[in-house]
Amino acid sequence: MWQSSPPGSIYDYIRVASFSIGPDGRIEQWSRRAAGLFGMGADKAVGMDPVDVFMPASMHADGRRRVAEILDGKEWTGLVPFRMPGERAAHGLAEIYVMPSETASGERGALCIVVDVRALRHIETDLAASQAIFGQSPFGFVLFGTDLAVLRANQRFATVFGGRAEDHRGRTVEDYLSGPEADRLTATIRRVLETGVSVTDLQIVGTAPGEPGSRHWSMNLYRVHSGSGRPTGVAGLATDVTRRHIAAREAASARRNLALLNEASARIGNSLDLETTARELLDVAVPGFCDLASVDLYQGLLTGDDAPPGSWDSLRQESVGGSAELRRVALASAVADVLPEDDADTGSPELGSVHRFAFNSPCAVALRTGRVEDVPGDDRGFVQSTLAVPMVAHDTVVGLVQFSRTKGSEPFGERDRGLATELAARAAVCIDNARLYRREHERALILQRSLLPPGDPVAAGLDIACRYLPGNTATEVGGDWFDVIELPGHRTALVVGDVMGRGLRAAVAMGELRTAVRTLALLDLEPAEVLAALDEVARGLGTPGGTASGGGSQWPSRAAHKSREADLSEVYLATCVYAVYDPVTRRCTFANAGHLPPAVVEPGSRARLLDVPPGMPLGVGGEPFEEVEVDLKEGSLLALYTDGLVESRDHPLDEGLDALRGALVEAERPVEELCDHVLTTLDTRHGEDDIALLMARIQGLPAEAVGDWRLPREPRSVGRARELARDRLLAWGLDDLVDTTELLVSELVTNALRYGEGETRLRLLRDRTLVCEVWDAGLVQPRRRRARDTDEGGRGLQLVGLLSVAWGSRRTPRGKTVWFELALPDGEPAVELSVDQLLSMY
């Protein structure tokens, strides 16, 4: 079969030429390749002596001898120097193969094959260099043919995939890689072969024979051509980048871990709620660190036990029944519609359930030892591995967090264990802080609520409802308080106050001020006098005391004194409004210490704020307090409140006060319903501050429940007073109280006439009890004393104290009032005085 040599054959590279010599030793035939090699066409070369034309003059004699031998029938091969024709012609060296020949007539000639030695040397050098690069390269080198089969591979490539380099000839990509990687590499090689566009750093993942793990290679692919530019295949240079990939993965893991820790610092612990902190931990961990996670906290920690959930020493002593009780407070999953308890085979506790871990389980061991434990995955489940990490804060284990990765994810490494421990520790500190805060917060709430009036207060001539709403668990305890204090004469003191500042110290200050208010109110002082005395109490509470902490000095330094004074002054500054209501006159006397004005709704009118001078807050001192008397109509509504009801960050105080006036509608509704209506209508932003609300409907004593008489200063007024009291008690149906009342009225009226001044006034009030008041213009207060055996008098007030439920005296603007109180009969016989009680007066 004849086959033409394609362009770019080997002869183009080695420069082979031929010519023939006739019997006369001259050139007889001259090929085109000879013309190209020697630079002379056939028209000039034919008929010329090759020795004279192409060989140096010094070699002419030897050349003619060789030609004669050849024409004599002898073959010859050798290296012959030659020169190109012309003055500046280049010199060269040719390898000539001379074969004798004969013509048809028997004449002898010769056929000469000439090869340019310089081209051969270049080819040898190129082949040697190519072999050195291909064979000695430290990288895997493979040449794919146009059929995508391996044409040649170097020894480095064979070292990775086994066998000798020659054994890989004819193999395909599928013999080295499997699955999608083989398809991807095949498609890439075909694309490079078709387009000629090189591909660099193609990442390939596969396995080498005899090695368990995956290997990573970076491949550079480019198309190779023949001398004429015809594509002959694709060369691939493969570099093993497994170590670089591992290092990059570790670096990425380290960066991810640092980012997770930074995120954990920013997101965990923003709330002082235990369950919220646990959820914040899982929000950080899933899916950035693991696929599934859960948090279990000790039940004792969640129920508010004072004792820590368990130190390591105590946890080691747990019974063989398992771990202490825990509650699952948080779950998270990055797998769609899958949570840990969805796997029925694992028996994972549900969210919110209380459970125990088996004594020998990895979770129980982690809780006892305080060390991270590996929980093996279940072959039947989707979890590949789990880390059980104890949550340790201040040498106390507060719970357990489990981080899980599903099958197909990268298993946990040593670096992951360290990160898991750090995440759990940060969350544990926040949870322990939340536990301590909640404990202190609950104690403060207990203290605060214990100082407020229990239940619904009852007062004469008032229908009272009150509400107290503390801030939520994320807010500190405040110092808001209210109080309803019964005063003599069926009068009632209404108090609402607010200690500035928050926390336990504010609650303590509130309790101290409330106690002081009650004490001052029982002295029956005027409202302005009560606030003035309370201001002194508040300033006394805010005065720093004690000794300095260092230097052994008896007195604190000036700086420490000022620092402590400034600190305490913030706590013990308070606002307060104090009102005294008289049900007989339906008159209310107000005094205000920097508090918000009371609101009043009269029947048929809109709500209005009373113009009560605000005064300075308690604890400031130096300014007197003013009183304002307001006559309230029957059925009017009075509202006292703290700023948490009308003030927030989102709207100014004036808007809140307007909203309060707008909410006080339909005043005829029950006060309990009105309280709820106000709280639900106003935008209180509850949780920012405590709220105290005290509402009272005015219901004065009816005229038939009051007996009021004026008595002249004469002896017969004593008898007149007894008659008036007897007649009124009989009219009220209080026959059982007639004798006692007559006796005590006689004592008080007699004292008023004997020691008092001006006109005497007798008043009887019937409500839940019977109150008798005797007024006169004298300023000297009665004083109970023990009479001597020889004294003829001085036993009247002792008798009043023995026969009455309570008695006392108070100053009035025009003198004083002495009063006593008797309980209304309940059908039981009256208690008679014992002999000892009667003898105690003598």
Side-chain angles (χ1 to χ4, degrees):
M1 178 180 293
W2 292 92
Q3 182 176 358
S4 62
S5 176
S9 67
I10 188 63
Y11 299 106
D12 293 333
Y13 293 99
I14 61 176
R15 302 185 67 184
V16 177
S18 64
F19 63 91
S20 62
I21 300 176
D24 57 356
R26 295 182 179 273
I27 296 174
E28 191 175 63
Q29 293 180 339
W30 188 256
S31 68
R32 292 181 179 178
R33 287 185 178 270
L37 176 63
F38 294 103
M40 181 181 292
D43 55 338
K44 293 183 179 181
V46 173
M48 299 183 66
D49 185 349
V51 174
D52 291 338
V53 176
F54 300 106
M55 295 182 68
S58 60
M59 299 185 66
H60 285 177
D62 187 53
R64 290 190 179 91
R65 180 174 56 82
R66 296 291 184 186
V67 171
E69 292 177 355
I70 291 169
L71 293 177
D72 194 33
K74 184 179 181 180
E75 291 186 1
W76 181 82
T77 300
L79 296 175
V80 177
F82 72 92
R83 61 180 177 84
M84 306 295 286
E87 295 180 358
R88 298 182 179 180
H91 291 73
L93 184 65
E95 183 176 3
I96 299 179
Y97 177 44
V98 183
M99 296 172 289
S101 62
E102 291 184 359
T103 63
S105 60
E107 293 180 328
R108 293 185 176 181
L111 177 62
C112 299
I113 305 297
V114 181
V115 178
D116 189 349
V117 174
R118 291 176 303 173
L120 289 177
R121 296 295 180 265
H122 285 311
I123 292 174
E124 289 176 354
T125 302
D126 292 343
L127 288 175
S130 175
Q131 181 62 30
I133 294 173
F134 193 83
Q136 300 174 18
S137 172
F139 309 109
F141 200 99
V142 61
L143 180 63
F144 297 96
T146 54
D147 58 354
L148 306 188
V150 176
L151 293 178
R152 188 176 180 184
N154 68 350
Q155 189 57 42
R156 178 59 183 170
F157 184 87
T159 301
V160 175
F161 291 99
R164 299 174 303 170
E166 295 80 6
D167 298 336
H168 294 274
R169 186 182 298 274
R171 294 183 180 180
T172 61
V173 172
E174 286 75 9
D175 295 320
Y176 306 103
L177 303 174
S178 60
E181 288 294 281
D183 297 339
R184 187 164 65 93
L185 180 57
T186 300
T188 304
I189 295 173
R190 181 176 288 109
R191 185 172 64 253
V192 171
L193 184 62
E194 292 173 353
T195 64
V197 179
S198 301
V199 173
T200 59
D201 197 21
L202 176 66
Q203 297 295 316
I204 301 296
V205 181
T207 57
E211 294 186 8
S214 298
R215 301 285 290 273
H216 296 259
W217 293 283
S218 172
M219 288 200 70
N220 297 324
L221 299 171
Y222 58 93
R223 189 171 69 181
V224 294
H225 311 83
S226 66
S228 62
R230 179 175 58 88
T232 59
V234 174
L237 183 65
T239 305
D240 191 335
V241 293
T242 303
R243 292 184 178 179
R244 187 176 69 186
H245 180 80
I246 294 174
R249 185 176 59 189
E250 290 181 351
S253 176
R255 288 193 297 270
R256 181 201 63 188
N257 292 352
L258 290 175
L260 277 174
L261 289 177
N262 183 60
E263 184 180 5
S265 300
R267 296 180 59 183
I268 299 177
N270 293 322
S271 167
L272 287 173
D273 180 73
L274 301 177
E275 291 83 354
T276 302
T277 302
R279 289 192 295 270
E280 290 171 347
L281 168 62
L282 299 194
D283 290 341
V284 172
V286 179
F289 177 67
C290 61
D291 302 316
L292 306 169
S294 64
V295 176
D296 300 293
L297 298 180
Y298 276 108
Q299 180 69 357
L301 180 146
L302 296 168
T303 55
D305 291 348
D306 287 339
S311 63
W312 292 351
D313 293 335
S314 62
L315 289 172
R316 294 189 184 99
Q317 300 173 2
E318 289 179 351
S319 65
V320 294
S323 68
E325 286 189 341
L326 299 104
R327 185 193 304 171
R328 180 143 294 182
V329 296
L331 286 170
S333 171
V335 183
D337 302 327
V338 175
L339 285 175
E341 69 265 22
D342 291 339
D343 190 355
D345 296 331
T346 62
S348 246
E350 295 183 355
L351 182 64
S353 64
V354 179
H355 62 92
R356 295 176 182 266
F357 289 115
F359 184 78
N360 292 323
S361 65
C363 293
V365 173
L367 288 171
R368 288 195 302 272
T369 62
R371 294 193 298 268
V372 180
E373 292 290 331
D374 292 312
V375 181
D378 190 350
D379 293 338
R380 297 173 297 172
F382 59 90
V383 175
Q384 175 181 240
S385 62
T386 299
L387 294 179
V389 187
M391 305 177 72
V392 183
H394 310 115
D395 291 338
T396 298
V397 179
V398 299
L400 183 79
V401 57
Q402 297 183 65
F403 301 108
S404 302
R405 288 182 179 174
T406 57
K407 293 179 180 177
S409 299
E410 185 178 351
F412 289 112
E414 192 61 32
R415 190 189 301 272
D416 295 322
R417 293 170 65 92
L419 177 61
T421 303
E422 180 66 22
L423 289 174
R426 294 194 180 196
V429 170
C430 295
I431 287 175
D432 194 52
N433 290 340
R435 175 183 69 87
L436 296 175
Y437 169 80
R438 186 171 68 175
R439 183 184 66 184
E440 297 302 320
H441 187 264
E442 289 175 352
R443 290 177 179 177
L445 283 178
I446 293 172
L447 171 64
Q448 185 182 38
R449 291 169 181 170
S450 67
L451 297 174
L452 297 174
D456 295 327
V458 178
L462 294 175
D463 183 10
I464 298 178
C466 51
R467 295 289 185 273
Y468 176 77
L469 300 178
N472 57 34
T473 56
T475 309
E476 292 186 48
V477 175
D480 293 13
W481 92 90
F482 67 91
D483 208 347
V484 178
I485 307 170
E486 294 187 57
L487 300 178
H490 288 315
R491 295 171 304 130
T492 303
L494 304 176
V495 189
V496 170
D498 184 2
V499 175
M500 298 182 186
R502 308 198 61 79
L504 183 60
R505 297 176 64 194
V508 171
M510 177 269 285
E512 293 175 328
L513 292 178
R514 177 179 178 270
T515 302
V517 169
R518 277 192 160 266
T519 302
L520 295 170
L522 294 178
L523 296 177
D524 212 354
L525 302 176
E526 297 296 324
E529 294 177 331
V530 170
L531 292 186
L534 194 62
D535 179 64
E536 293 292 335
V537 173
R539 282 193 288 167
L541 294 175
T543 302
T547 60
S549 59
S553 174
Q554 182 180 357
W555 305 102
S557 66
R558 183 181 298 271
H561 180 87
K562 289 184 177 180
S563 175
R564 179 171 173 82
E565 185 175 19
D567 182 45
L568 291 176
S569 64
E570 181 182 0
V571 175
Y572 290 114
L573 284 178
T575 63
C576 178
V577 60
Y578 185 89
V580 175
Y581 171 70
D582 188 342
V584 178
T585 61
R586 292 193 299 275
R587 179 173 298 160
C588 196
T589 305
F590 295 92
N592 192 352
H595 203 78
L596 296 174
V600 171
V601 185
E602 295 182 342
S605 302
R606 290 177 53 85
R608 61 189 176 92
L609 299 179
L610 294 179
D611 186 13
V612 180
M616 299 298 292
L618 301 175
V620 175
E623 294 292 334
F625 297 98
E626 299 183 43
E627 291 182 358
V628 173
E629 291 186 350
V630 179
D631 292 327
L632 301 174
K633 296 181 180 180
E634 183 76 15
S636 298
L637 187 70
L638 175 65
L640 305 178
Y641 50 91
T642 57
D643 57 358
L645 182 68
V646 294
E647 187 176 21
S648 74
R649 301 174 183 174
D650 299 331
H651 56 74
L653 178 60
D654 291 341
E655 292 184 9
L657 293 174
D658 291 339
L660 173 62
R661 289 195 294 267
L664 291 173
V665 294
E666 301 180 9
E668 67 278 0
R669 297 168 60 182
V671 289
E672 293 287 345
E673 294 183 11
L674 278 174
C675 276
D676 295 334
H677 174 73
V678 169
L679 292 176
T680 55
T681 302
L682 295 184
D683 183 15
T684 60
R685 302 286 181 181
H686 184 52
E688 293 182 3
D689 197 2
D690 294 357
I691 296 176
L693 174 63
L694 177 62
M695 301 185 72
R697 173 167 287 115
I698 304 303
Q699 297 173 345
L701 289 180
E704 61 271 14
V706 179
D708 195 351
W709 307 276
R710 298 182 182 274
L711 303 172
R713 293 192 62 79
E714 55 187 28
R716 64 178 182 174
S717 293
V718 177
R720 177 61 179 162
R722 286 198 300 267
E723 292 175 2
L724 293 172
R726 180 176 62 253
D727 293 342
R728 184 53 58 95
L729 291 180
L730 291 176
W732 285 341
L734 302 178
D735 301 23
D736 295 341
L737 299 181
V738 170
D739 294 338
T740 303
T741 304
E742 283 187 331
L743 176 60
L744 300 185
V745 166
S746 296
E747 291 293 336
L748 295 188
V749 173
T750 299
N751 288 341
L753 295 175
R754 180 178 298 176
Y755 305 108
E757 299 176 4
E759 187 180 43
T760 302
R761 180 181 175 187
L762 172 65
R763 188 168 75 167
L764 293 178
L765 306 175
R766 187 198 64 179
D767 193 70
R768 290 175 293 111
T769 62
L770 176 67
V771 174
C772 176
E773 298 176 332
V774 176
W775 303 28
D776 69 80
L779 299 178
V780 179
Q781 297 291 322
R783 181 172 59 87
R784 181 177 177 179
R785 63 183 179 86
R786 179 176 292 275
R788 292 174 295 183
D789 294 343
T790 57
D791 291 343
E792 295 181 358
R795 298 177 179 86
L797 292 182
Q798 294 188 47
L799 186 62
V800 173
L802 287 174
L803 296 178
S804 64
V805 175
W807 78 278
S809 66
R810 68 178 184 274
R811 289 183 301 167
T812 64
R814 296 181 179 85
K816 67 177 181 294
T817 299
V818 183
W819 58 271
F820 68 84
E821 183 177 348
L822 297 176
L824 298 181
D826 54 2
E828 297 293 333
V831 179
E832 297 183 357
L833 295 178
S834 65
V835 176
D836 292 337
Q837 289 176 323
L838 292 174
L839 291 177
S840 65
M841 295 187 293
Y842 297 93

